[in-house]
Amino acid sequence: QNVNKVETAVRMKHIPSGISVKCSQERSQSMNKQVALKRLKAQLLAIAQEQRLASIAAIRGDMVEASWGAQIRNYVMQPYKLVKDARSGWETSDV
């Protein structure tokens, strides 16, 4: 009964990155090849997207959320006139 079984599994390897994908879910080898190629492309696309996001994050640097208390300068005009720089600690009342 097991005489006519055919090995249809496919293993694909992307040589530059070393990623290997194996597929044996379909009955035909051509279908397994197509499915394995789709999986390999998806993995390579995910890696490329992670690298792109990492390079963008490196260019942007640390992002500061624009919320209350995270400002660079304080301008107080009402009770008295004062400009205060939070980064350098410089302040003046000559406004």
Side-chain angles (χ1 to χ4, degrees), residues 31-94:
M31 289 295 293
N32 279 334
K33 185 177 179 182
Q34 290 176 358
V35 172
L37 192 60
K38 283 182 185 178
R39 288 182 187 171
L40 187 62
K41 283 182 182 180
Q43 284 187 354
L44 290 173
L45 186 64
I47 291 173
Q49 189 173 11
E50 287 177 10
Q51 289 175 348
R52 185 176 60 85
L53 289 175
S55 67
I56 289 173
I59 291 170
R60 279 188 177 174
D62 294 334
M63 292 187 64
V64 178
E65 187 177 329
S67 62
W68 182 257
Q71 62 266 23
I72 297 170
R73 283 183 203 90
N74 297 326
Y75 297 95
V76 180
M77 301 293 182
Q78 220 26 264
Y80 50 89
K81 295 184 178 189
L82 179 70
V83 176
K84 188 174 189 180
D85 193 335
R87 290 183 294 183
S88 64
W90 177 83
E91 60 183 70
T92 183
S93 61
D94 186 24

Side-chain angles (χ1 to χ4, degrees), residues 18-38:
I19 297 174
S20 179
V21 175
K22 181 182 176 187
C23 182
S24 60
Q25 69 186 33
E26 301 292 332
R27 289 189 70 172
S28 70
Q29 194 170 20
S30 63
M31 289 295 293
N32 279 334
K33 185 177 179 182
Q34 290 176 358
V35 172
L37 192 60
K38 283 182 185 178

